């Protein structure tokens, strides 16, 4: 087993990786920016190195600073987490060139899968179904038009260097294809420094299915079943689950086998994910992500596998400890991403200091967070504060458990998307599993600020506490604000009106 690891990340994923490493007896080294001096990932690591100012470009994205920290601390491995440098082939190469172990696939695999047209070619060659479209970047607007008339409208133009929905352009009329191609190429050059654009047939209401993969470099490649991530907003996932409620055993086997073929085609080592679009009984390869994903805990819940442990084992030269047939699929898991965004205010990024934190617990509940009381939430980094994950024997009970857990969650001091999540887990289409990537745009009513929105809750709570203090002439007990609903409120009946002396505070 590797002796030490530098975790080149921050927030909840840095903490998740540090926890996994510590369980294996691996010495952990955190890196941090000026903005993260007191962050949980810094506190939990054996050692922490300040690598620069708050701006990510001068700290978490600075390859030289990260490698320098690895050198001065004697780290033997580097775990990139997700985001930041995780899918930068030049970083994986630099880590290897410095004589360190990169906990992830080879630089060549990362490079090949980062080029979305090369990925399509490699997958098609390996017999993995891809969305009908071009196998290489388009040369001109008129070529784009020709391809569009062959594959049929609507089509989508995508940046070859993009991914994750960045720079996508849907075109519904043949006479608009050429102009859209020019605009997409310009945008791609500005965003990625590479203007290559390709075309695919556009699927209108697909579901997003992704398969968790693992390879070990000894010829063993397994999948750990699928996740469904159909509840997204502007390509940001909000809720993920495992397994998908729409696949039968036969389709599950087929999509798993296709993902394994995909991984074998690129000699995949470590944890990876193949994304598919599923529509009308057919699935198509979309992208391959060469990292551990945000939503990996739902897979851990239903398989019982610790994916970070497997990453460290494989990076240490061990084989995958299970055969395909031994990987369980048990029950159902759901993950809600808790972000510092105001859902009823156009998802405006929210800032503030975390003043109070109540973390849900109990059977089948997991919290992967990266904040503590006193954490200052700014605008320098991704708004993900933490993830709430629940498991139960079936989907319905996992959702019931999520409802209960969301009710226990309080993050005071910064607005979060939790109030929207509380609505989704009660919405009939979500409960029935009627999901698609268009779910949120098809449910605008979820975004109506209603009587139970955050500011009403806060106002009612404040009024109730003031009244309590006035009547009782004792300090008011703390109260989980997630439990307060305007519509439930009755003077004198809520639990926080019980006398403090009874121990109900
Ligand atoms: C598509 C598509 C429909 N047809 N490609 C968005 C994220 C990026 N990974 C690819 N995306 C899509 N590609 C074709 N040919 C629809 C989407 C898409 C989507 C995909 C997954 C999850 C949510 C989505 C939301 C809107 C669009």
């Amino acid at each position: 087993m590797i002796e030490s690891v530098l975790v080149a990340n921050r927030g909840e994923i840095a903490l998740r990786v540090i926890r996994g490493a510590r369980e294996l007896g691996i010495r952990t080294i955190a890196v941090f920016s000026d903005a993260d001096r007191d962050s949980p990932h810094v506190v939990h690591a054996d050692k922490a190195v300040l690598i620069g100012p708050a701006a990510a470009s001068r700290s978490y994205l600075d390859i030289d600073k990260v490698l320098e920290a690895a050198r001065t601390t004697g780290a033997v491995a580097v775990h990139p987490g997700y985001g930041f440098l995780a899918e930068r082939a030049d970083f994986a190469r630099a880590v290897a060139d410095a004589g360190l172990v990169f906990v992830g696939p080879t630089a060549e695999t990362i490079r090949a899968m980062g080029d979305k047209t090369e990925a399509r070619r490699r997958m098609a060659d390996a017999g993995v179904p891809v969305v009908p479209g071009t196998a290489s970047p388009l040369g001109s607007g008129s070529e784009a038009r020709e391809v569009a008339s062959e594959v049929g409208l609507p089509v989508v133009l995508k940046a070859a260097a993009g991914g994750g929905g960045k720079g996508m352009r849907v075109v519904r009329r043949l006479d608009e294809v050429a102009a859209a191609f020019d605009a997409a190429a310009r945008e791609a050059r500005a965003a990625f420094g590479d203007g290559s654009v390709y075309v695919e047939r556009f699927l209108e209401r697909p579901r997003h299915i992704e398969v968790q993969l693992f390879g070990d470099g000894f010829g063993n490649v397994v999948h750990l079943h699928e996740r469904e991530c159909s509840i997204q907003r502007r390509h940001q996932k909000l809720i993920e689950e495992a397994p998908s409620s729409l696949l039968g055993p036969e389709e599950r086997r087929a999509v798993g086998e296709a993902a394994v073929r995909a991984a074998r085609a690129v000699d995949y080592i470590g944890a990876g994910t193949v994304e598919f679009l599923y529509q009308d009984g057919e699935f198509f390869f979309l992208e391959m992500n060469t990292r551990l994903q945000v939503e990996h805990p739902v897979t851990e819940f239903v398989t019982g596998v610790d994916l970070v442990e497997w990453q460290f084992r494989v990076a240490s030269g061990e084989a995958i400890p299970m055969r395909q047939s031994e990987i369980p699929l048990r029950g159902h898991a759901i993950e809600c991403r808790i972000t510092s965004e105001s859902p009823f205010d156009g998802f405006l990024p929210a800032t503030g200091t975390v003043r109070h934190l109540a973390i849900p617990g109990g059977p089948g509940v997991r919290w992967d967070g990266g904040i503590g009381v006193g954490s200052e939430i700014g605008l320098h980094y991704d708004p993900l504060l933490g993830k709430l994950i629940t498991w139960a024997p079936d989907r319905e009970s996992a959702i019931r458990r999520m409802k209960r857990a969301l009710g226990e969650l309080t993050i005071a001091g910064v607005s979060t998307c939790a109030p929207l999540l509380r609505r989704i887990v009660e919405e009939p289409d979500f409960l029935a599993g009627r999901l698609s990537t268009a779910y949120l745009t098809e449910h605008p009513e979820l975004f109506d600020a209603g009587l139970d929105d955050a500011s009403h809750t806060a106002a009612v709570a404040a009024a109730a506490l003031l009244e309590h203090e006035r009547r009782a002439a004792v300090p008011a007990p703390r109260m989980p604000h997630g439990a307060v609903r305007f519509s439930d409120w009755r003077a004198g009946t809520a639990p926080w009106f019980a006398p403090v002396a009874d121990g109900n505070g």
Side-chain angles (χ1 to χ4, degrees):
M1 183 61 62
I2 53 174
E3 181 268 331
S4 56
V5 65
L6 179 141
V7 182
N9 217 298
R10 64 178 301 282
E12 70 86 18
I13 192 61
L15 194 49
R16 166 70 187 94
V17 170
I18 288 168
R19 285 171 165 154
R22 292 181 69 89
E23 288 179 12
L24 293 168
I26 300 170
R27 189 162 59 90
T28 54
I29 297 128
V31 292
F32 65 101
S33 73
D34 279 333
D36 283 337
R37 286 176 179 277
D38 305 312
S39 292
H41 81 279
V42 172
V43 176
H44 280 74
D46 295 305
K47 190 171 237 169
V49 182
L50 176 67
I51 54 166
S57 60
R58 298 180 56 200
S59 49
Y60 298 106
L61 286 171
D62 188 327
I63 293 178
D64 291 337
K65 295 255 188 67
V66 171
L67 288 181
E68 171 70 7
R71 198 182 58 75
T72 57
T73 56
V76 304
V78 174
H79 193 304
Y82 54 69
F84 292 127
L85 297 168
E87 288 175 280
R88 289 264 303 269
D90 56 341
F91 180 58
R93 176 108 47 213
V95 168
D97 287 349
L100 307 170
V101 177
F102 182 74
V103 183
T106 63
E108 172 50 22
T109 300
I110 297 173
R111 184 205 60 74
M113 295 300 99
D115 176 342
K116 303 305 168 186
T117 59
E118 177 165 352
R120 277 172 59 82
R121 281 197 301 280
R122 303 268 296 255
M123 295 308 136
D125 290 347
V128 178
V130 300
V131 190
T134 43
S136 46
L138 297 159
S140 66
S142 59
E143 190 187 335
R145 195 191 142 103
E146 255 171 58
V147 177
S149 68
E150 276 164 33
V151 303
L153 290 165
V155 293
V156 55
L157 299 170
K158 297 184 179 183
K166 271 177 276 174
M168 265 179 55
R169 230 187 187 82
V170 179
V171 189
R172 299 181 182 281
R173 294 170 42 144
L174 214 49
D175 58 5
E176 287 170 359
V177 174
F181 169 84
D182 292 335
R186 252 196 324 275
E187 240 178 64
R189 184 161 300 110
F192 311 110
D194 174 356
S196 308
V197 167
Y198 65 106
V199 70
E200 285 178 358
R201 194 174 76 211
F202 181 69
L203 310 179
E204 298 275 3
R205 285 183 87 256
R207 290 173 74 152
H208 180 277
I209 308 281
E210 57 182 38
V211 179
Q212 177 69 54
L213 289 168
F214 236 98
D216 64 10
F218 299 108
N220 304 307
V221 178
V222 298
H223 68 79
L224 293 100
H225 313 295
E226 82 285 357
R227 297 182 286 259
E228 169 146 10
C229 313
S230 296
I231 304 215
Q232 313 207 354
R233 185 189 160 272
R234 300 205 182 147
H235 310 305
Q236 290 301 313
K237 296 167 183 170
L238 204 61
I239 302 183
E240 303 102 340
E241 46 190 297
S244 165
S245 54
L246 104 167
L247 298 187
E250 196 45 41
E251 291 162 306
R252 173 162 299 115
R253 199 186 47 74
V255 79
E257 283 176 6
V260 169
R261 275 202 301 282
R264 287 195 184 284
V266 293
D267 302 318
Y268 203 85
I269 299 179
T273 295
V274 182
E275 296 186 14
F276 294 95
L277 290 182
Y278 183 95
Q279 189 172 292
D280 306 323
E282 280 186 285
F283 59 86
F284 304 98
F285 171 85
L286 196 56
E287 287 175 22
M288 180 154 170
N289 301 321
T290 52
R291 60 168 190 275
L292 185 72
Q293 302 217 150
V294 176
E295 58 272 27
H296 76 276
V298 294
T299 297
E300 296 189 316
F301 253 145
V302 296
T303 61
V305 169
D306 180 332
L307 291 169
V308 173
E309 179 191 336
W310 278 27
Q311 284 190 298
F312 282 128
R313 291 199 181 285
V314 166
S316 303
E318 295 181 24
I320 293 169
M322 277 186 188
R323 285 182 234 280
Q324 185 66 59
S325 59
E326 297 170 333
I327 295 172
L329 175 58
R330 188 169 159 264
H332 199 94
I334 300 189
E335 172 176 283
C336 286
R337 295 192 188 190
I338 311 296
T339 62
S340 51
E341 295 172 306
S342 304
F344 307 134
D345 210 1
F347 264 82
L348 218 62
T351 59
T353 303
V354 177
R355 298 291 181 192
H356 177 67
L357 196 56
I359 302 301
V365 175
R366 169 172 168 182
W367 169 256
D368 274 22
I371 56 168
V373 170
S375 289
E376 279 167 27
I377 311 305
L379 297 172
H380 286 293
Y381 311 114
D382 185 278
L384 186 68
L385 303 177
K387 300 157 351 194
L388 186 56
I389 310 109
T390 60
W391 178 93
D394 55 75
R395 185 173 188 267
E396 201 188 320
S397 3
I399 294 172
R400 273 207 308 272
R401 196 162 255 174
M402 180 59 77
K403 235 166 94 173
R404 188 268 290 170
L406 282 167
E408 291 180 12
L409 176 71
T410 304
I411 299 175
V414 58
S415 292
T416 76
C417 63
L420 172 66
L421 293 164
R422 291 189 184 104
R423 290 183 181 187
I424 294 174
V425 296
E426 302 203 39
E427 192 282 315
D429 284 335
F430 176 75
L431 296 179
R434 286 189 289 270
L435 309 177
S436 87
T437 54
Y439 175 89
L440 285 181
T441 50
E442 290 173 359
H443 288 87
E445 78 283 1
L446 293 168
F447 296 90
D448 294 339
L451 281 180
D452 64 347
D453 83 329
S455 50
H456 278 84
T457 305
V460 170
L465 284 166
L466 276 173
E467 181 62 10
H468 173 81
E469 288 197 13
R470 196 185 65 79
R471 288 188 203 176
V474 295
R478 275 190 187 281
M479 166 188 69
H481 93 252
V484 181
R485 293 263 153 65
F486 184 75
S487 54
D488 299 340
W489 185 76
R490 299 286 182 282
T493 60
W496 59 89
F497 279 89
V500 178
D502 287 355
N504 285 310

